[in-house]
Amino acid sequence: RDHDQSDRPLAARSRAPGSGLVFAAKDSALTAAHSSAVVAESFKRAEEMSRQNLPHLYRVARLFPDRTRFEAFCALYASMRWIDDEVDEGRMTTANLDRWDKAITSSFAGEGGTAPYGPALADTLARFEFSPEPWHNLRGALRYDLESDGFPSYEDFVRYAEGATVAPAAIFATLLLQCPHGDEYRPALPYAEIRDAVRPAAISCYETHILRD
């Protein structure tokens, strides 16, 4: 009975041998709850960013019957929308663009970073299978925006479009083709096949967009 401390106050038990396990479990639960709250807030911010001006892809994503897939869309879209807006508004430098690219790479390793969409993106990439290629290609297109003006040839435009329009189209198509496997999702086709399939339509739509503007 001298060693039975179950009816003693927690403060008293904390001074007993091995009581660190009590606080370790409690701290672990608090950390998990905090992480969950951070991720939930990040998904909220990502949705706010994604629905600005109600883009067509957001309107389509709202029809997803799977809430998890819709949240994934918001995180993925926000990660590209944010950096594109920063460049368009003249708030981005080449060095900052490189830092964004490194942060995206860290998201694939499970690190949320400091961007509003960061924790949501890391959570999404832990559950859905994506290639980092489209984000790297987007960086190339945005770097071109920062350093160049116009396209000397149509071939230059096509290389630019690989990041500016094929990349986001391929991400969206990959999201649509993800199938649930337990708590995770896996694409029905390899990323390269999805990217190559959407490329003609993505570039054609981008050309129409440019002509309209």
Side-chain angles (χ1 to χ4, degrees), residues 56 204-213:
H56 296 306
S204 177
C205 288
Y206 201 54
E207 291 172 335
T208 302
H209 174 81
I210 292 173
L211 291 172
R212 181 201 66 189
D213 291 347

Side-chain angles (χ1 to χ4, degrees), residues 123-169:
D123 183 81
T124 294
L125 295 175
R127 287 193 272 179
F128 290 80
E129 184 177 310
F130 283 92
S131 166
E133 178 190 293
W135 283 271
H136 296 326
N137 288 345
L138 176 61
R139 178 199 60 180
L142 295 177
R143 180 185 289 274
Y144 190 94
D145 283 334
L146 292 173
E147 299 175 348
S148 307
D149 183 19
F151 304 101
S153 68
Y154 182 73
E155 288 70 23
D156 291 309
F157 166 76
V158 170
R159 281 193 291 271
Y160 171 83
E162 195 68 24
T165 186
V166 175

